[in-house]
Amino acid sequence: MLEHAQHAALQIDRQSRILDAAERCFVRSGFHRTTMQDVAAEAGMSPGNLYRYFPSKDAIVAGLTERDRSQLAQDFAAFENDADFMATFMALGRKHFEEEPRERAVMCLEIWAESARNPVFAAMCAEFEQDLVRRLTEVLQKAQARGEVAASIDPEAAAAVILTLGNGLFVRRAIAPEFDAAREVPYVIALIGAMLKGVLPSGAARHMAEAGA
């Protein structure tokens, strides 16, 4: 039993090392220019050993996406433990757009760009975004029940708007030299807060969501 647990831990550690190495390679050279040999060298292992864990670059990206989804679940758990919805939302915004390395945003753009040509990537991105909208919708529904979100707001439409704004921040952080997270993130959070309070005209959230789709 102990040997099995140690083997499983070793497998997870190596997979994580490969994913970290792949992220660095993709950010540095781009998805298409990066080879499996590049990833193996970055991870400090032989190509044959790498293929034991991930048979292709697509499989590596699937692994990166699954890791992000796991992190997403942990992030959303914060809403269960904190009564102040907007404070938690602001903390998560700062984490993803200010505290985490800019390379994460560049990595997102690499995956999004590939999804325009690769149906496998497109499906992964669509599934990830659907999961995010579902989680956001559930959080907003609970906040609405507590009176923190206006009763007139459609939680699913608001979630779609939040996703669109978040994607915009990721793009700006990745490519805009003048991006200032300390200034722009609070601005976007304030806009979202106004929307959730019902300050925007009736139906605006739905219109914004459809315009951004």
Side-chain angles (χ1 to χ4, degrees), residues 91-111:
L92 288 178
R94 285 176 173 163
K95 172 188 174 184
H96 287 283
F97 301 114
E98 186 171 1
E99 297 168 7
E100 288 194 347
R102 170 183 169 272
E103 286 75 15
R104 298 302 303 277
V106 176
M107 185 69 231
C108 281
L109 260 63
E110 280 293 322
I111 294 176

Side-chain angles (χ1 to χ4, degrees), residues 55-203:
S56 66
K57 287 194 293 182
D58 284 9
I60 289 176
V61 173
L64 288 169
T65 302
E66 189 56 38
R67 185 166 70 172
D68 284 348
R69 289 181 68 171
S70 177
Q71 182 59 59
L72 186 69
Q74 294 179 38
D75 288 342
F76 274 86
F79 287 104
E80 300 294 334
N81 304 321
D82 197 331
D84 191 331
F85 172 79
M86 288 307 300
T88 302
F89 204 83
M90 174 63 85
L92 288 178
R94 285 176 173 163
K95 172 188 174 184
H96 287 283
F97 301 114
E98 186 171 1
E99 297 168 7
E100 288 194 347
R102 170 183 169 272
E103 286 75 15
R104 298 302 303 277
V106 176
M107 185 69 231
C108 281
L109 260 63
E110 280 293 322
I111 294 176
W112 289 343
E114 184 62 17
S115 71
R117 299 178 290 268
N118 186 326
V120 174
F121 277 47
M124 284 191 290
C125 287
E127 185 178 0
F128 186 91
E129 292 201 348
Q130 289 167 5
D131 187 32
L132 179 54
V133 168
R134 178 184 61 78
R135 291 179 184 276
L136 274 171
T137 300
E138 292 174 355
V139 165
L140 291 172
Q141 288 171 335
K142 292 177 181 178
Q144 196 171 47
R146 295 193 302 268
E148 296 182 81
V149 171
S152 60
I153 294 299
D154 178 340
E156 186 175 3
V161 171
I162 292 170
L163 173 64
T164 299
L165 293 173
N167 286 347
L169 284 176
F170 270 117
V171 171
R172 281 191 51 73
R173 193 177 189 204
I175 68 175
E178 75 278 10
F179 178 72
D180 182 355
R183 177 178 61 86
E184 297 186 36
V185 173
Y187 177 81
V188 171
I189 296 294
L191 178 62
I192 292 171
M195 174 183 69
L196 298 181
K197 290 178 181 177
V199 174
L200 294 179
S202 176

